[in-house]
């Protein structure tokens, strides 16, 4: 685990060094720990990882309260779809939401916050490839959705997230996401996974979400 974590950090710094730009800060590594047992998560924490991503509210609810009580510095990110009826539970487990992907969810979050729930920073997920089976706001709706979330619902939107189509080159999707973020004044970019995190880093990712390169292959 130590070796894998330091290898990822090394690859990230090499990716950024090879750019002409003044070296940007390394993106934060979010360890995508779906299907990983608490023991694997504990080793990642020992290797210095402080951010973790889980895809399912129920799985996170089982695994994380114990880990968090032992490691209060660790931050937990929701990186999978959130159903409106799971919002309350999600708000009690996670620190950040990366998958705000539709008006109904935005409204549900706003309702909970106006009823006193702790407001979590969130990323809006953009369906950059306009894939029908994938979550995310369609690119043409992005600017209006961002404005509505921030200005009308007062959600703490801090960035954008995407998962490029499996068979496309990811670079144009990352660049596209970065451009939408820039023109909307959003600093956070949650993009890049095990197979493409260096490309994402070069295109300005502030958070890369890494599963297999850190934990090894998942069981299917
Ligand atoms: C599983 C997952 C990742 C990590 O994927 P790897 O290919 O294992 O690095 C990143 N983001 C999301 C949303 C995921 O579900």
């Amino acid at each position: 685990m130590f070796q894998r974590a330091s290898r990822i950090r090394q690859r990230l710094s090499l990716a950024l060094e090879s750019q002409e730009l003044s070296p940007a800060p390394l993106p934060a590594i979010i360890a995508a720990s779906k299907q990983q047992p608490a023991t694997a998560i504990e080793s990642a924490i020992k290797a210095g990882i402080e951010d973790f991503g889980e895809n399912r509210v129920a799985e996170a609810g089982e695994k994380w309260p114990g880990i968090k009580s032992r490691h209060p510095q660790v931050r937990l990110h929701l990186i999978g779809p959130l159903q409106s009826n799971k919002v309350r539970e999600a708000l009690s487990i996670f620190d950040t939401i990366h998958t705000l992907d539709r008006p109904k969810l935005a409204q549900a979050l706003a309702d909970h916050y106006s009823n006193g729930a702790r407001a979590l920073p969130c990323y809006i997920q953009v369906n950059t490839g306009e894939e029908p089976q994938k979550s995310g706001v369609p690119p043409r709706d992005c600017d209006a959705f961002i404005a509505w979330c921030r200005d009308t619902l007062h959600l703490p939107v801090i960035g954008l997230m995407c998962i490029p189509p499996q068979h496309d080159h990811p670079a144009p999707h990352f660049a596209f996401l970065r451009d939408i973020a820039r023109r909307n004044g959003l600093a956070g970019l949650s993009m890049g996974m095990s197979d493409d995190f260096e490309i994402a880093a070069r295109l300005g990712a502030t958070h890369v979400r890494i599963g297999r390169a850190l934990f090894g292959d998942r069981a299917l």
Side-chain angles (χ1 to χ4, degrees):
M1 181 65 72
F2 259 103
Q3 270 171 0
R4 284 193 177 131
S6 55
R7 180 83 188 111
I8 291 167
R9 289 192 195 98
Q10 193 181 33
R11 284 172 59 186
L12 281 170
S13 22
L14 284 172
L16 291 175
E17 260 172 38
S18 65
Q19 284 191 305
E20 309 264 310
L21 301 169
S22 56
L26 288 196
I29 297 171
I30 298 179
S33 52
K34 55 175 175 261
Q35 298 175 31
Q36 300 298 337
T39 48
I41 293 170
E42 295 275 356
S43 326
I45 295 171
K46 283 207 190 80
I49 305 284
E50 294 203 322
D51 290 271
F52 289 82
E54 288 282 348
N55 289 68
R56 292 166 164 275
V57 176
E59 182 181 343
E62 284 168 23
K63 284 191 326 204
W64 277 91
I67 303 171
K68 274 230 176 164
S69 66
R70 289 189 292 279
H71 305 281
Q73 82 283 7
V74 164
R75 292 172 294 267
L76 191 58
H77 304 255
L78 176 61
I79 61 173
L82 178 56
Q83 293 168 268
S84 308
N85 63 0
K86 299 263 177 66
V87 166
R88 180 186 306 275
E89 190 183 356
L91 294 178
S92 71
I93 303 169
F94 290 94
D95 300 294
T96 306
I97 297 171
H98 288 241
T99 48
L100 172 51
D101 59 359
R102 59 195 194 281
K104 190 179 172 201
L105 176 59
Q107 189 65 62
L109 289 168
D111 292 346
H112 279 84
Y113 297 159
S114 61
N115 288 328
R118 176 179 63 120
L120 302 189
C122 65
Y123 294 76
I124 290 173
Q125 181 174 358
V126 182
N127 189 354
T128 58
E130 306 198 48
E131 297 172 280
Q133 82 287 6
K134 200 166 269 175
S135 316
V137 179
R140 65 183 170 281
D141 296 342
C142 259
D143 293 348
F145 185 71
I146 295 166
W148 179 67
C149 288
R150 287 201 294 205
D151 304 339
T152 306
L153 300 180
H154 305 295
L155 298 179
V157 178
I158 60 169
L160 302 179
M161 178 271 210
C162 77
I163 307 172
Q166 213 178 344
H167 300 294
D168 275 13
H169 196 285
H173 294 271
F174 296 153
F176 185 56
L177 195 73
R178 177 195 59 195
D179 293 345
I180 301 173
R182 276 192 186 154
R183 71 170 181 256
N184 285 282
L186 291 169
L189 282 173
S190 169
M191 59 189 198
M193 322 203 318
S194 290
D195 291 331
D196 54 20
F197 64 84
E198 288 142 308
I199 299 169
R202 277 188 227 111
L203 290 165
T206 58
H207 292 72
V208 291
R209 309 177 309 268
I210 299 182
R212 289 164 300 132
L214 192 62
F215 293 108
D217 285 336
R218 284 180 292 274
L220 288 177

